[in-house]
Amino acid sequence: MLTFDAHLDLSLNALEYNRDLRLPVHEIRRREAGMTDIKGRAAGTTAFPEMRQAEMGLCVATQLAGCMVGARPMANWMSPEQAYAQTQGQLTWYRAMEEDGQMRQIKDLRGLEAMIDLWTDGKPNEGKPIGYILSLEGADSIRSVGHLERHWEQGLRAMGPAHYGVCRYALGHDQVGGLPAVGKELIQEMDRLGMILDVTHLSDGCFWEALDLFQGTIWASHSNCRALVPDVRQFSDEQIKALIERGAVLGAALDAWMMVPGWIRGKTTPQSAGLKLEVICDHIDHVCQLAGNTLHSGIGTDLDGGYGIEQTPEDLDTIADLTRIPDMLAKRGYTQTDIENVMHGNFLRLLKKAWA
């Protein structure tokens, strides 16, 4: 079944982890054996061969570079200009992957429909380019509101104003408070350009203000349910209902601490928590129950987003294991149409509407 992943930090893995994503996951792990410089070494899950095995012909691929004081180097730059340069390097890698035939950027409805046709033509997936929608996780690298249009011209089609901490345009989920004046200006400029607002990582205060300000298309690329995991990183039922009312789609994430309560990063293990892949279906189901339908839940794995299999379900080896989710949903009584909605249909429908 065609799979759409709404959040993959592919360029971060290529440049910060120095991973050649054209290689199979297990070869990348072999080359990283013994390395301890960054969390998740020799434990990655995601590379192009395994994405093709998962029939992941389309995804949202990120740029990421913040100005968060005290954060680790890959997310912390001393100035917006440095952060901008980092994201431009990430964009250059995506362009190189396009030239190599590995990826193809999707910027409009025509391009989206062409990639859907390619990945549903019944032919083998090996060698097919993976379609990607460019997104920016945290807006710190946008040097000024006036610069945002340049990023749109480069193909940036979605953006989350915040990541962790106190960001330039918004507060992250771990903070308390609302949008600064410049953040409100940025969101209004996103609206003017037709950019998709990703509400993932926003503080509760920023979330509600952003929904009031923004009139365009909204999604939550990689967010789980606070009712199941009581942490501010997840969305409350009230927030989920508000997103449903706006026609948004929420991508269920596979970061272990977002899946089960009580996880202590660096201490809890998937084995000690008994965490299985099927737990993600609990979060998918919770959104569907709140909606009363299957039109607002999707997949946004965040796999290899600064961690590896030490922080994913114990029965997940690579991203190719996403192919098991349809059967898990079917056992819960979900119909074929329901499952297709979750695996790709909802996000694709949202994009088609946004770009019509």
Side-chain angles (χ1 to χ4, degrees), residues 25-303:
V25 163
H26 289 95
E27 174 60 19
I28 295 173
R29 290 182 191 168
R30 186 190 68 79
R31 295 187 181 199
E32 292 182 0
M35 298 173 67
T36 59
D37 58 321
I38 305 177
K39 180 182 177 181
R41 280 294 189 199
T45 66
T46 302
F48 297 149
E50 286 74 19
M51 290 176 69
R52 293 187 177 100
Q53 289 173 29
E55 296 190 62
M56 190 174 289
L58 303 100
C59 69
V60 178
T62 69
Q63 297 168 292
L64 171 62
C67 301
M68 296 175 285
V69 176
R72 56 186 177 172
M74 73 172 64
N76 180 32
W77 298 94
M78 295 296 289
S79 71
E81 289 75 18
Q82 290 167 277
Y84 166 74
Q86 178 72 359
T87 59
Q88 290 300 293
Q90 293 168 352
L91 180 61
T92 299
W93 177 77
Y94 285 122
R95 297 282 188 255
M97 291 299 97
E98 290 182 64
E99 291 180 12
D100 195 49
Q102 300 293 327
M103 303 186 77
R104 184 179 299 169
Q105 189 176 25
I106 303 171
K107 297 184 288 187
D108 52 31
L109 182 58
R110 181 178 179 180
L112 178 66
E113 291 177 338
M115 288 304 297
I116 294 172
D117 289 344
L118 176 65
W119 278 86
T120 57
D121 63 6
K123 298 178 181 179
N125 295 333
E126 186 177 356
K128 290 181 180 178
I130 295 168
Y132 75 100
I133 294 100
L134 187 65
S135 180
L136 181 62
E137 186 172 21
D140 284 3
S141 60
I142 305 296
R143 288 170 287 166
S144 73
V145 173
H147 284 96
L148 186 60
E149 189 163 2
R150 298 187 191 182
H151 294 264
W152 173 268
E153 292 168 354
Q154 292 178 334
L156 185 66
R157 292 295 179 264
M159 183 168 68
H163 195 207
Y164 283 79
V166 179
C167 304
R168 295 180 59 226
Y169 295 99
L171 298 176
H173 61 267
D174 52 347
Q175 304 293 312
V176 176
L179 294 165
V182 70
K184 295 177 182 178
E185 293 174 13
L186 183 77
I187 287 174
Q188 290 170 334
E189 178 67 358
M190 290 177 66
D191 220 346
R192 184 187 73 83
L193 292 169
M195 196 171 286
I196 295 168
L197 173 64
D198 187 351
V199 294
T200 302
H201 283 298
L202 287 176
S203 72
D204 285 2
C206 288
F207 172 91
W208 292 113
E209 289 187 12
L211 258 60
D212 286 340
L213 279 171
F214 192 78
Q215 301 303 309
T217 302
I218 297 172
W219 68 32
S221 63
H222 57 302
S223 299
N224 289 348
C225 305
R226 197 177 296 181
L228 303 182
V229 180
D231 187 277
V232 292
R233 174 61 179 86
Q234 330 302 340
F235 283 135
S236 68
D237 285 1
E238 184 182 11
Q239 289 174 306
I240 294 171
K241 290 176 182 177
L243 291 173
I244 291 168
E245 289 177 4
R246 291 291 295 270
V249 179
L250 292 83
L254 290 173
D255 193 342
W257 77 277
M258 295 172 58
M259 296 179 70
V260 291
W263 184 281
I264 301 173
R265 280 179 284 185
K267 183 177 180 179
T268 309
T269 67
Q271 292 74 25
S272 67
L275 176 59
K276 303 289 188 180
L277 179 59
E278 188 163 358
V279 172
I280 202 59
C281 297
D282 296 339
H283 290 271
I284 292 169
D285 184 68
H286 189 78
V287 172
C288 293
Q289 296 301 327
L290 289 175
N293 56 53
T294 60
L295 301 177
H296 299 277
S297 190
I299 304 294
T301 64
D302 195 21
L303 285 175

